[in-house]
Amino acid sequence: MTTSERDIKTSSRGALYKRRHFPVIRFSRFIRATVAVAAATALMASASSAGAESRVPAPATSVSAVDARPNDGSGYWPDFSNTGYANTPANAGGLGLGAYPGSLTDYAANMSASKPLTLRYPDNSVISFKHFLALKVSIYGDNLTFVGCLFEGTDPNDNLIQIYSDNNIKFLYSTLKPNSYSMPPGNDGTVSSSHSKPGTPFDKSWQLATTMKEAVAVMDHNDIWGNAGLEMVTGFPDRPSTWTNNYIHDMADTSHNVYHHDGIGPQSEGNGGPMIVDHNTLASLGNTNALALQGDGVYDHISFTNNYVSGWGYAVSIGVTDNATNITVTGNIFSAELEQLYGFLYGNIWGGSARGSTWRDNLVQARTGDGNSAFSTADNGKYLWPDGESHTTDYTG
């Protein structure tokens, strides 16, 4: 840990607010029975396969992962062309709904970014093509599915969405954004994320979407920006949290250390898993992590595969001590497109095969003019090892 990142993680006002004001439940009762872990492993494989099947098909003239970038017109990675409410296809999530109808229905008249909204739905409800504008949206009801919805508002240092669900919550093809902008400041739709600071100014931003109870989230094809993190339960042995095909980008207020800039940041105290993070774009300037598992408890059965990752402080954090088990990091593109403050893997902490973990086929993408000066075009297409260096051969430890 560098002094700079330690200061950010322990001293910034955003970090303190995040950890103290909305504490994530510590699951000390998390059971790692052999049968449960076996079930979780099977479920993770099934969900990962399902996520791959739900991806937007590559165009006829396809490109390889290492040659593609978000918003380059290829549609290979999650970006503005294939995520969010306006890109909802027919039968999204296998629910039999139609495609995006061309407009959204306001949830209520006289909605305002200065007033909260409270949503109460019967368990197992499907909510589609709704517009929610609020200071904060509080959601009550279990096993709810939001499809093709827009959540927007302004609530600096607080939640845009607070989720009071006991077991499950799903967001499919939905957009979470600040209400003051239609596009992220500095992102004209040709880059993965703005290459310049500050992004959305602090006073126009929102900070988090948070599960306030034990609901496990399924997040697929969502467009999320103008914020500082997503703090949701990591998962349980029989039901992993699942993040597939999401476009998470353009964090807010990146010129300052008020915010803890995390992409996916569940269960930051540790003792979590399983979790599937597959085929997402996680790109932004910022001071902490795209995958922000920042606790000293044990993270177990975390799968981080086939993602486009660029920017951040340390791009990926899988705990702050060497105790994580059964971690899979494979097939990712670690791009030098955006400036990066420190490195790709926090602390170079990697337990390897001795802890049941696998790091394979992770490639560096580097082009002329990229913001991360630690890599050059000579590194493009090489394998990235946990030590943060590029190599001509793959890691085998």
Side-chain angles (χ1 to χ4, degrees):
M1 180 186 298
T2 70
T3 300
S4 297
E5 174 126 328
R6 180 185 295 274
D7 290 344
I8 290 166
K9 287 190 173 182
T10 60
S11 299
S12 84
R13 186 156 63 93
L16 290 173
Y17 188 92
K18 175 177 174 182
R19 291 169 186 259
R20 294 177 184 171
H21 195 73
F22 292 111
V24 180
I25 299 167
R26 183 186 292 273
F27 295 107
S28 58
R29 61 186 181 279
F30 187 77
I31 302 170
R32 293 185 177 84
T34 302
V35 173
V37 169
T41 304
L43 189 58
M44 288 174 70
S46 174
S48 181
S49 175
E53 291 172 2
S54 67
R55 294 177 197 162
V56 176
T61 305
S62 61
V63 295
S64 67
V66 76
D67 291 328
R69 283 189 172 176
N71 295 317
D72 66 357
S74 70
Y76 187 97
W77 295 110
D79 59 20
F80 287 125
S81 73
N82 50 37
T83 64
Y85 69 90
N87 293 300
T88 308
N91 198 34
L95 297 171
L97 299 171
Y100 171 60
S103 63
L104 300 174
T105 301
D106 284 348
Y107 170 75
N110 301 315
M111 294 187 299
S112 167
S114 63
K115 299 188 299 185
L117 279 178
T118 299
L119 314 182
R120 297 184 186 275
Y121 289 105
D123 292 354
N124 307 308
S125 293
V126 176
I127 303 96
S128 60
F129 306 119
K130 289 286 192 295
H131 175 213
F132 304 96
L133 171 64
L135 176 71
K136 178 186 299 182
V137 179
S138 297
I139 299 173
Y140 292 84
D142 197 25
N143 196 31
L144 304 179
T145 301
F146 291 88
V147 182
C149 293
L150 169 61
F151 295 84
E152 58 177 349
T154 300
D155 202 355
N157 248 355
D158 209 333
N159 290 331
L160 175 64
I161 301 175
Q162 287 186 188
I163 302 161
Y164 296 89
S165 299
D166 290 319
N167 294 290
N168 302 292
I169 187 81
K170 294 182 182 179
F171 294 90
L172 314 178
Y173 285 95
S174 292
T175 301
L176 284 64
K177 60 180 281 294
N179 67 291
S180 297
Y181 302 95
S182 59
M183 287 283 287
N187 187 340
D188 63 359
T190 63
V191 294
S192 67
S193 187
S194 175
H195 290 203
S196 60
K197 301 175 181 181
T200 302
F202 178 79
D203 62 353
K204 303 292 186 183
S205 70
W206 56 282
Q207 187 183 17
L208 301 167
T210 302
T211 46
M212 307 301 289
K213 300 177 75 174
E214 294 187 358
V216 168
V218 172
M219 307 288 288
D220 182 68
H221 281 98
N222 300 298
D223 178 13
I224 303 170
W225 59 274
N227 64 312
L230 299 164
E231 191 166 299
M232 298 183 179
V233 171
T234 309
F236 297 94
D238 60 342
R239 50 189 179 101
S241 73
T242 306
W243 302 72
T244 53
N245 311 301
N246 299 289
Y247 182 29
I248 298 172
H249 58 109
D250 289 286
M251 296 290 105
D253 193 35
T254 54
S255 289
H256 306 100
N257 287 338
V258 175
Y259 274 149
H260 210 243
H261 298 114
D262 297 331
I264 302 171
Q267 238 160 285
S268 57
E269 295 180 354
N271 297 323
M275 181 182 188
I276 297 162
V277 183
D278 183 68
H279 196 249
N280 302 276
T281 293
L282 303 168
S284 182
L285 300 178
N287 53 29
T288 41
N289 318 120
L291 179 64
L293 306 181
Q294 299 165 344
D296 56 9
V298 176
Y299 293 101
D300 181 62
H301 280 92
I302 307 294
S303 175
F304 189 77
T305 57
N306 308 308
N307 301 288
Y308 179 93
V309 187
S310 188
W312 312 95
Y314 283 103
V316 175
S317 176
I318 307 173
V320 297
T321 59
D322 188 9
N323 58 7
T325 54
N326 303 301
I327 309 300
T328 300
V329 181
T330 61
N332 300 289
I333 300 300
F334 291 96
S335 176
E337 177 189 359
L338 300 170
E339 176 190 9
Q340 186 175 67
L341 297 183
Y342 310 117
F344 280 114
L345 181 64
Y346 175 74
N348 297 334
I349 297 171
W350 183 250
S353 57
R355 296 188 182 275
S357 298
T358 302
W359 180 293
R360 299 284 187 277
D361 198 30
N362 299 296
L363 301 180
V364 174
Q365 182 195 77
R367 299 179 182 174
T368 301
D370 279 351
N372 185 352
S373 59
F375 293 91
S376 71
T377 55
D379 298 297
N380 188 62
K382 290 185 177 179
Y383 295 97
L384 184 73
W385 286 22
D387 63 6
E389 301 294 329
S390 68
H391 298 261
T392 57
T393 58
D394 203 356
Y395 182 76
T396 59

